[in-house]
Amino acid sequence: MPDRTPWWLLLLRLAMVAALILAFAQPVLNPARPWARGGGPVLVLMDGGWASAPDWEARRGRALEILEQADRAGRPAIFRVIADKAPAEDALTPRPAADWRGAAEAAQPRPWAPGRAAFIPLIESFADTPAAEGLEVIWLHDGLAHTANDGLAETLADLAPLTMIGPERLALALRPPKLSDGRLLATAIRAGNVGERPVSAVAMGAGPEGGERRLATAEATFEDGDRQANLAFDLPLELRNKVQRVALTIGGS
C-alpha cells in the first residue's frame, strides 16, 4: 500500500465533490429569460379559460418555472389567472415570488372564456402605482381571440415589456352533433389551420347499470389549411337512440 494517495486520485475526488456541490446548489448560469434578471416586479398572467384545459399542466409548470426564476433573481411577482375574478381589495399587489407558488399550483382552468377586456381596468389602475416601476409582464395566453379587439395585449405592451407565450398546440372544440342519412355526425373545429392533425371523438350513452359507457368512436384528420374536420359515428338505431353526448378524446386533441 502506498504511504499517501496518488495526486491524480486526490484530484479526481476533489472534482467529484465540486460537481456534487454545484448540483445541489442548482446554479443559474447565464439565464436566457429576461425575468431572471432585473429588479422590478414580474407579472405572470394565465388566460385560464376553457381553451387552456388541454395542456394545463404544461402551462402551470411554465408559470411555476417563471416564478422560481423571479424568486432566484430576488424579484417580487404577481400571479393572476384572467378567467378568475380578482378580489377588489387584492387587486395587483407584488409579493415575494415564492409566495405565489401555492396559488399557481392550485389554479385550475375554468369552463368559460377569460374576460380579457374586463381585466384591462385592473391593469390601468396598477399602471398608476409606484409598484409598477420596472415591471415586466409574461402572459401565457391560449392562442385564441375570444372577442374581437379586446385590447389587453396593447394595454400590457404600453405598460411594460411584454413576453407572450402561446400553446404548443391550439385547443379543439366540437360543434353539436346532428343526424344525417342514419348516421350521427359531428364537426371538430380548431383555431389554427397549419399542419395535418388527427382528431377523435366518442359517443357516450347510458350503460346497463345506469352509468355512462362508450358507444362508438369516430376519427378524422384536419388537413393542412383546414379549420374543421368531420366525424361520423356508425351506430345501429338502438345504440344511436342511447347517445347522450359526444366528446373529444384526449388522444385526439
Side-chain angles (χ1 to χ4, degrees):
M1 296 291 291
D3 293 336
R4 56 183 178 178
T5 305
W7 68 267
W8 57 268
L9 183 57
L10 182 61
L11 183 63
L12 180 60
R13 289 174 177 173
L14 290 174
M16 292 176 63
V17 171
L20 287 172
I21 292 173
L22 285 173
F24 282 110
Q26 296 182 325
V28 179
L29 300 177
N30 191 24
R33 300 290 185 249
W35 50 86
R37 302 184 296 270
V42 178
L43 172 58
V44 183
L45 296 176
M46 299 179 71
D47 272 328
W50 64 267
S52 299
D55 59 347
W56 181 254
E57 292 303 321
R59 292 170 183 272
R60 182 165 53 189
R62 192 69 179 273
L64 287 166
E65 176 189 349
I66 294 167
L67 290 171
E68 182 179 353
Q69 290 175 342
D71 184 50
R72 288 179 178 274
R75 303 184 66 175
I78 306 166
F79 173 79
R80 187 67 68 205
V81 177
I82 297 174
D84 291 343
K85 185 176 181 180
E89 65 275 9
D90 192 17
L92 298 176
T93 305
R95 302 206 305 255
D99 289 0
W100 294 102
R101 183 174 183 85
E105 289 177 339
Q108 295 293 333
R110 303 301 183 185
W112 52 76
R116 294 173 182 166
F119 196 76
I120 291 177
L122 198 62
I123 295 294
E124 292 176 337
S125 297
F126 178 67
D128 296 330
T129 66
E133 184 177 353
L135 179 74
E136 292 186 46
V137 182
I138 300 94
W139 179 14
L140 286 83
H141 64 91
D142 59 27
L144 302 182
H146 296 280
T147 56
N149 302 320
D150 58 59
L152 179 57
E154 293 79 1
T155 301
L156 292 172
D158 288 342
L159 171 62
L162 170 63
T163 300
M164 298 181 65
I165 302 175
E168 293 184 4
R169 305 183 75 179
L170 293 175
L172 301 180
L174 197 65
R175 288 180 176 152
K178 61 183 179 180
L179 287 173
S180 177
D181 297 328
R183 294 195 304 170
L184 183 66
L185 305 178
T187 300
I189 57 175
R190 62 176 178 174
N193 61 353
V194 179
E196 188 176 287
R197 180 178 180 183
V199 61
S200 61
V202 293
M204 305 296 292
E209 298 180 358
E212 197 175 46
R213 65 168 176 161
R214 180 179 299 200
L215 301 178
T217 302
E219 297 179 350
T221 299
F222 287 100
E223 301 296 339
D224 189 19
D226 289 346
R227 289 184 178 271
Q228 66 180 40
N230 298 317
L231 299 140
F233 298 89
D234 289 316
L235 287 162
L237 179 61
E238 179 183 356
L239 289 180
R240 194 166 64 235
N241 291 336
K242 293 183 178 180
V243 174
Q244 297 176 331
R245 67 184 181 94
V246 175
L248 292 167
T249 61
I250 299 300
S253 64

